[in-house]
Amino acid sequence: QVQLAESGGGSVQPGGSLRLSCAVSGYTTSRMCMAWFRQTPGKERQGVAAIANDGFTNYADSVKGRFTISQDTSKETLYLQMNSLRPEDTAMYYCGLKRGSCFPRLTLSQYNYWGQGTQVTVSS
């Protein structure tokens, strides 16, 4: 069974940085599309950044220039480098995975597997 496990969340001051990680296990092929989504209470889970099997990336307008999505060579770990964090970035961050190649859409329905999330809190 495919399992995803997020880590790296925490509390940080505005302007600070965090790097989130998503460990992938139980997946036997390197072909995948992955993404980071975030959710706050009372709101729909929203796409933050996505990466296709060939490395093509897509970002939400609100994080362009501040966040970077990447994978290690083995594709066993997904990362989200978050810089210049703002209070509005506060949310539970989730890692999603889709089998095979795809356009890295920031839509929930595209992804088949999800982790449990890691909390990011940006405040002074």
Side-chain angles (χ1 to χ4, degrees), residues 1-4 23-29 99 113:
Q1 293 277 21
V2 175
Q3 291 187 307
L4 307 176
V24 182
S25 62
Y27 196 66
T28 60
T29 179
R99 294 180 183 272
Y113 304 95

Side-chain angles (χ1 to χ4, degrees), residues 13-106:
Q13 293 183 334
S17 298
L18 284 173
R19 189 178 76 162
L20 306 183
S21 297
C22 174
V24 182
S25 62
Y27 196 66
T28 60
T29 179
S30 62
R31 288 188 170 183
M32 64 180 75
C33 285
M34 297 194 73
W36 288 97
F37 283 70
R38 64 188 182 186
Q39 187 173 28
T40 54
K43 295 184 178 180
E44 185 179 62
R45 192 173 298 185
Q46 298 179 324
V48 176
I51 185 166
N53 187 70
D54 62 0
F56 186 82
T57 58
N58 188 25
Y59 296 91
D61 288 342
S62 61
V63 307
K64 286 181 179 178
R66 300 189 298 121
F67 291 10
T68 303
I69 188 170
S70 62
Q71 293 174 295
D72 62 9
T73 303
S74 67
K75 297 187 178 180
E76 292 179 345
T77 308
L78 177 74
Y79 301 99
L80 183 67
Q81 179 65 49
M82 304 185 293
N83 299 324
S84 302
L85 284 162
R86 305 165 180 170
E88 50 264 44
D89 294 319
T90 296
M92 184 73 77
Y93 284 71
Y94 298 90
C95 170
L97 182 152
K98 179 191 182 300
R99 294 180 183 272
S101 60
C102 69
F103 184 85
R105 297 181 177 86
L106 297 173

